[in-house]
Amino acid sequence: MKRRTAATAAVAALALSAVLTAAPGAGAATADVCGGSIGDYVGLAGLDLPFTGAASANGNDRAMTVTPVVIGGNTFKTEIATGPSDSRFAIGQFELKVDTSGRGRITFPSYAGHAVGDSVVCGGGGTRVTRISGEVRVQDVSKRIPFTISRA
């Protein structure tokens, strides 16, 4: 009797596993379309190139550089110029959110708060991010200002 109960339990567990695996949205991985993986931002075999560009407020462009720090890790150094001979930076972990289509959205630290990259562009037909646009908080402006950074 014990053999029959164990066999029945094994078959039931196998059937339940098959149902859960086949169910839509039940843990199914989303394909990385553009910016849906940490490696798309920092590189896989080595550190990728930094993103460079500007954050702009009231007609004043501030040079902005976002540099990957750890291979395969989610750490950036974000530097924003505050004047001709002054810049401020923050080093910290970024947060990556991926929608159901596989596109990424990234939030990363800056000296005065956080930057939110709500638009990412990938180049060369792959998933490697080549441009990020969004808004960032800077030291002397009360609201977030737009930025665009890119790399080759």
Side-chain angles (χ1 to χ4, degrees), residues 17-71:
S17 173
V19 167
L20 290 176
T21 302
T30 301
D32 180 6
V33 172
C34 177
S37 171
I38 290 173
D40 297 343
Y41 299 87
V42 299
L44 295 173
L47 286 177
D48 208 331
L49 298 171
F51 295 92
T52 59
S56 302
N58 305 322
N60 182 17
D61 287 346
R62 301 161 188 245
M64 182 173 177
T65 303
V66 177
T67 307
V69 176
V70 179
I71 298 171

Side-chain angles (χ1 to χ4, degrees), residues 36-120:
S37 171
I38 290 173
D40 297 343
Y41 299 87
V42 299
L44 295 173
L47 286 177
D48 208 331
L49 298 171
F51 295 92
T52 59
S56 302
N58 305 322
N60 182 17
D61 287 346
R62 301 161 188 245
M64 182 173 177
T65 303
V66 177
T67 307
V69 176
V70 179
I71 298 171
N74 65 329
T75 305
F76 277 161
K77 175 182 179 185
T78 305
E79 187 171 6
I80 301 174
T82 57
S85 61
D86 185 29
S87 66
R88 313 241 170 133
F89 70 89
I91 298 173
Q93 295 181 330
F94 62 80
E95 181 179 299
L96 180 60
K97 295 181 180 180
V98 182
D99 67 17
T100 56
S101 75
R103 290 193 65 81
R105 178 182 168 163
I106 188 168
T107 302
F108 52 94
S110 71
Y111 181 79
H114 279 85
V116 177
D118 53 14
S119 175
V120 298

Side-chain angles (χ1 to χ4, degrees), residues 125-148:
T127 62
R128 177 181 175 264
V129 175
T130 56
R131 187 173 69 216
I132 303 171
S133 297
E135 293 184 330
V136 62
R137 188 164 304 281
V138 296
Q139 184 67 21
D140 57 342
V141 179
S142 62
K143 62 180 181 172
R144 293 178 189 255
I145 63 173
F147 75 89
T148 299

